[in-house]
Amino acid sequence: CGIFGIWGHEDAAQLSYYGLHALQHRGQEGAGIVTKDDKGLHVVKGEGLVNDVFTGDAFNSLTGNCAIGQVRYTTAEGRGAENVQPLVFRSTTGSMAIAHNGNLVNAKDLKESLERQGSIFQTTSDTEVLAHLIKRSSSGSLTQRDRVKKALSMLKGAFAFVVLTEEGLMVAQDPNGLRPLSLGKLGDSWVVSSETCAFDLIGAEPIRSVAPGELIIINDKGLVSDRFAEAANPAMCSMEYVYFSRPDSDIDGINIHMARKRCGKQLAREVKIEADVVTGVPDSSISAAIGFSEESGIPYELGLIKNRYVGRTFIQPTQSMRERGVKMKLSPVHQVVAGKRVVMVDDSIVRGTTSKRIVKMLKDAGATEVHVVIGAPPLVSPCFYGVDISTDSELIATGRTVDEVRDLIGADSLTFLSAEGMLKAIGRPDEMKNCGQCLACFTGEYPTDIYADTVLPHEK
Ligand code: 5GP
Ligand code: SF4
Ligand code: MG
């Protein structure tokens, strides 16, 4: 998912719309904006793309100078209109709206215990747990900030939150900092966004990343930084660099396009291939393909083009839709590949659908050899943190050798980037464990506890 927040701007709703538009690649199943003024919270949300949800009059009702928003990509919580965020909770003791990016690994435990205490959940979303925890702890003399801190400290897993309350905009990042979240400034207003590309679009200046374990409270008095937990080992999601984020975004000061390009260069150092052209799979692997070409000296060519009116194939819910999606989405440029030995660079292999189809497509278009190089290590373990790499059985590389995967996708050779090579190429500080990255889907070593009852996206 992608989340966005803004405090203290007369065009809060409009700017959130632009922000969500820039984050659209992070989720296409639903979108929502909640604004706040002295009359309370106002919400517009629905299933579909940002452009479809916020039509004509939407903005007339979204009054107020602060807002939060989300674009939705379903993993664990299930689809359906009631799960579109921000979730709004109206109460006589203070209303609240919440948007979340990530996945809680102890949501089931917390939900069961809250239900035993009388909570009734309106959605199947793990996000709702936070609202109940905040309300639960509302007894006694705790300030709202303390209640939120207490609630956040009970959550385990990956979470970047924006919470809009009567008292301000609250922004939180999980203790491992698994999902990106940046703070920026637009004139006198504060903005937060999953990715910095949203800041560029609205003309805001990026200030810094929200720190692991940090709770930021923004209101008319200004910004206060607090923390609800000690920072754990930093573990930024590697797949954000590899695939998820937009090339023009920066995470912790590292530009995504440049990081991918260095991954491509690193690949060209790790494998030598005799070939005539290098081509990338648009859009997410173009950067790595350019890097591979530069380092190997094999010319980069536009061997595949993308129909821009088809969404991200991976995010299509079923496998048959995904397969048709690949065909509608990509076409070979015959003049580039016919009679050529082609290096095809992709960012990652998940189920193998894309690679298999493209190898065949390139061969049908006359390529004499197709060498597949991948800008990440093999994905072998499920993600519990909000990326739809769900079960081992769906991952083509789980329990298979590289040669077996190569044969399944029909390539002449297959090379994955080494994990060390990827870390080095991305270039985060190397004094931290795994350079402060999560590598769990590549290694099976998870940065948080994984609860026995953690529900995999797939199982719901
Ligand atoms: P596959 O076709 O192997 O199942 O998926 C790999 C392709 O899907 C790559 O081209 C990659 O760009 C894209 N992709 C889309 N969504 C995701 C995702 O959530 N994770 C990963 N690793 N790749 C994804
Ligand atoms: Fe990202 Fe993989 Fe870690 Fe999930 S397991 S957070 S996809 S690096
Ligand atoms: Mg792709």
Side-chain angles (χ1 to χ4, degrees):
C1 304
I3 58 175
F4 184 87
I6 182 163
W7 184 272
H9 198 291
E10 56 183 356
D11 300 322
Q14 197 73 43
L15 291 165
S16 300
Y17 168 81
Y18 290 130
L20 294 183
H21 208 279
L23 298 175
Q24 183 80 79
H25 61 286
R26 300 186 67 87
Q28 291 114 35
E29 290 176 16
I33 295 175
V34 173
T35 59
K36 185 183 93 63
D37 61 14
D38 47 18
K39 289 198 248 5
L41 299 177
H42 311 284
V43 53
V44 174
K45 60 180 181 175
E47 292 180 283
L49 299 176
V50 172
N51 267 339
D52 305 325
V53 174
F54 305 101
T55 47
D57 323 326
F59 292 103
N60 301 335
S61 65
L62 290 171
T63 50
N65 68 359
C66 38
I68 61 171
Q70 196 212 43
V71 283
R72 173 164 188 75
Y73 157 53
T74 306
T75 54
E77 312 88 1
R79 300 164 217 289
E82 85 276 8
N83 283 329
V84 176
Q85 299 194 4
L87 300 179
V88 177
F89 304 90
R90 302 195 191 270
S91 145
T92 49
T93 54
S95 299
M96 172 168 66
I98 301 184
H100 172 203
N101 176 30
N103 189 52
L104 304 177
V105 293
N106 64 338
K108 192 158 171 263
D109 271 5
L110 291 170
K111 239 177 168 169
E112 279 167 8
S113 113
L114 284 161
E115 279 174 350
R116 277 196 299 276
Q117 297 169 61
S119 289
I120 296 174
F121 286 86
Q122 302 167 23
T123 71
T124 54
S125 151
D126 59 343
T127 308
E128 198 181 343
V129 168
L130 178 65
H132 286 265
L133 288 174
I134 294 172
K135 282 291 165 198
R136 273 290 119 175
S137 51
S138 64
S139 57
S141 57
L142 290 180
T143 63
Q144 186 182 38
R145 192 209 292 193
D146 287 332
R147 295 202 317 261
V148 172
K149 278 163 67 174
K150 194 170 157 202
L152 287 167
S153 71
M154 298 172 75
L155 307 179
K156 306 270 184 258
F159 52 91
F161 275 115
V162 284
V163 183
L164 193 57
T165 72
E166 323 252 293
E167 285 161 57
L169 171 62
M170 301 200 184
V171 183
Q173 168 69 297
D174 70 67
N176 300 97
L178 274 150
R179 306 251 71 93
L181 188 61
S182 290
L183 180 68
K185 199 104 212 256
L186 176 62
D188 293 330
S189 314
W190 290 102
V191 283
V192 288
S193 171
S194 292
E195 287 185 41
T196 60
C197 63
F199 296 161
D200 287 341
L201 183 60
I202 62 172
E205 181 199 348
I207 304 287
R208 64 174 174 89
S209 300
V210 180
E214 186 179 23
L215 170 67
I216 294 175
I217 300 119
I218 302 165
N219 55 32
D220 290 339
K221 290 187 228 116
L223 178 148
V224 176
S225 163
D226 197 344
R227 51 176 49 257
F228 62 90
E230 291 297 316
N233 266 339
M236 173 58 64
C237 170
S238 293
M239 290 307 293
E240 291 283 351
Y241 289 102
V242 169
Y243 166 76
F244 249 111
S245 294
R246 235 170 71 162
D248 53 337
S249 288
D250 298 339
I251 298 179
D252 293 336
I254 295 174
N255 173 255
I256 300 296
H257 162 70
M258 297 308 286
R260 287 180 190 163
K261 194 169 159 189
R262 289 191 297 271
C263 286
K265 286 182 177 246
Q266 176 64 25
L267 262 169
R269 286 183 215 110
E270 293 185 9
V271 64
K272 297 285 171 248
I273 298 172
E274 295 285 320
D276 306 306
V277 289
V278 174
T279 194
V281 184
D283 299 314
S284 48
S285 72
I286 301 294
S287 307
I290 293 171
F292 189 94
S293 162
E294 266 186 35
E295 184 69 23
S296 65
I298 306 169
Y300 174 79
E301 260 292 4
L302 204 63
L304 291 161
I305 57 138
K306 179 173 153 183
N307 182 325
R308 71 182 68 225
Y309 303 101
V310 182
R312 280 193 159 183
T313 40
F314 191 89
I315 298 182
Q316 300 293 325
T318 64
Q319 184 66 10
S320 64
M321 281 165 78
R322 250 180 235 121
E323 286 186 14
R324 184 155 343 103
V326 176
K327 228 179 186 167
M328 285 169 64
K329 190 158 124 176
L330 293 166
S331 323
V333 180
H334 293 258
Q335 287 77 354
V336 167
V337 300
K340 302 280 174 47
R341 297 167 300 173
V342 179
V343 174
M344 183 216 76
V345 183
D346 203 355
D347 54 88
S348 54
I349 293 184
V350 186
R351 299 171 182 84
T353 321
T354 309
S355 300
K356 190 172 169 183
R357 296 226 157 228
I358 294 173
V359 169
K360 181 163 187 306
M361 200 180 270
L362 292 172
K363 291 212 163 172
D364 289 349
T368 54
E369 293 171 20
V370 179
H371 301 272
V372 175
V373 301
I374 300 294
L379 290 163
V380 293
S381 276
C383 175
F384 298 98
Y385 305 125
V387 175
D388 195 5
I389 303 172
S390 45
T391 55
D392 295 9
S393 62
E394 285 182 335
L395 299 171
I396 194 172
T398 304
R400 293 200 176 92
T401 64
V402 173
D403 287 353
E404 286 167 343
V405 177
R406 177 203 60 204
D407 292 345
L408 280 175
I409 65 173
D412 293 279
S413 76
L414 170 64
T415 309
F416 289 95
L417 183 58
S418 67
E420 311 73 59
M422 178 181 74
L423 294 181
K424 193 168 94 187
I426 291 173
R428 291 169 61 97
D430 58 9
E431 64 275 11
M432 292 191 274
K433 183 175 182 206
N434 296 335
C435 302
Q437 281 178 229
C438 174
L439 294 176
C441 48
F442 308 117
T443 63
E445 267 182 60
Y446 294 87
T448 69
D449 289 337
I450 293 298
Y451 290 68
D453 66 351
T454 296
V455 180
L456 282 168
H458 179 81
E459 294 164 24
K460 279 212 174 164

